[in-house]
Structures are given as structure tokens and as C-alpha cells.
Amino acid sequence: MAKVIGFEISSQEPEKAVAFYRKVFGWEFADPDWEYWPVVTESGTMKTSLTGGISKGPSDFPHGTRIQIEVESIDETLALAQQNGAMIVRDKMEFDSFFLAYLVDPTGIGLGLIEKRNVAGR
């Protein structure tokens, strides 16, 4: 089965996007190269095999890819995201094993938030 191994977020305001993801999710970024800010994935707070970064999108594709970000608390993350300029598109929804919400960051990029539920017996 195929699995996601990377992502690239396109934005016409990549510096603003980098600041948002740094403040809300604690992501760290390497210095930009060719208007691409790579996410540092082997740092203390973001250990994952998924790699990616933020780039300045071309004018004919200014915003791209919605990703799903797992968080400890959707409620806290939504509040912090709004404080940092995000717009909530779909508030917290409840499913059997997780909660899901959608938002748009301050640069117009849509993303999803997932919070795993503690389900007895699973």
C-alpha cells in the first residue's frame, strides 16, 4: 500500500506560513534555499519519517496540498491557530477513533487536524 512520505506546502507568503507553523505546531525550519524552507524532522520536537517544507508557490498554483496534522488536543490547537490568524473551516467533528477539524492558515492553505481518541479495547 502506498503511504505519504513527504509534503510541500505552496504559499504566496512563505515567510508568514513558516511563522504560523512554527508558532502553532512548534516546527523548526532550516534556512531557505530557492524559496523553499525545509522542515527539520530530526530535531527534538518533530521526530518523523515524513519530510517536507514550505515553498513559494507559482502564481498559477499559489496554494497547494492539504495535509493532516496529528495533535494532542484539537480544542487547544484550534484556539492557538485562531489567535495566530487561522480561519476555522469545519469545527471539531467526532468519529469512532478520532476527532477531525479543518482550518485555513493565515496564508490561505487548508489543513486538517486529527486527534486520536482513547478507545477502550482497541
Side-chain angles (χ1 to χ4, degrees):
M1 177 186 293
K3 64 180 180 177
V4 177
I5 60 169
F7 64 90
E8 182 173 334
I9 300 172
S10 296
S11 173
Q12 292 299 294
E13 298 178 273
E15 295 91 347
K16 189 174 180 181
V18 165
F20 174 82
Y21 289 92
R22 184 177 284 135
K23 288 179 187 174
V24 174
F25 299 107
W27 290 5
E28 295 179 25
F29 294 86
D31 291 333
D33 187 22
W34 294 90
E35 293 190 282
Y36 178 81
W37 287 254
V39 175
V40 178
T41 58
E42 294 301 322
S43 68
T45 59
M46 187 173 181
K47 293 184 180 178
T48 178
S49 61
L50 183 65
T51 61
I54 295 175
S55 66
K56 182 169 173 80
S59 59
D60 60 344
F61 188 69
H63 309 289
T65 311
R66 176 175 19 205
I67 59 172
Q68 304 294 336
I69 300 173
E70 184 178 347
V71 297
E72 290 185 29
S73 169
I74 281 184
D75 296 324
E76 291 175 12
T77 304
L78 287 173
L80 186 57
Q82 280 187 302
Q83 291 170 11
N84 283 279
M87 178 181 73
I88 307 306
V89 175
R90 173 111 14 172
D91 219 343
K92 182 178 173 180
M93 299 173 282
E94 187 173 345
F95 295 89
D96 288 341
S97 60
F98 64 94
F99 298 102
L100 174 67
Y102 290 111
L103 58 89
V104 175
D105 78 9
T107 69
I109 297 170
L111 59 118
L113 301 176
I114 292 178
E115 175 187 339
K116 290 183 180 177
R117 296 179 64 167
N118 294 325
V119 181
R122 290 188 187 182

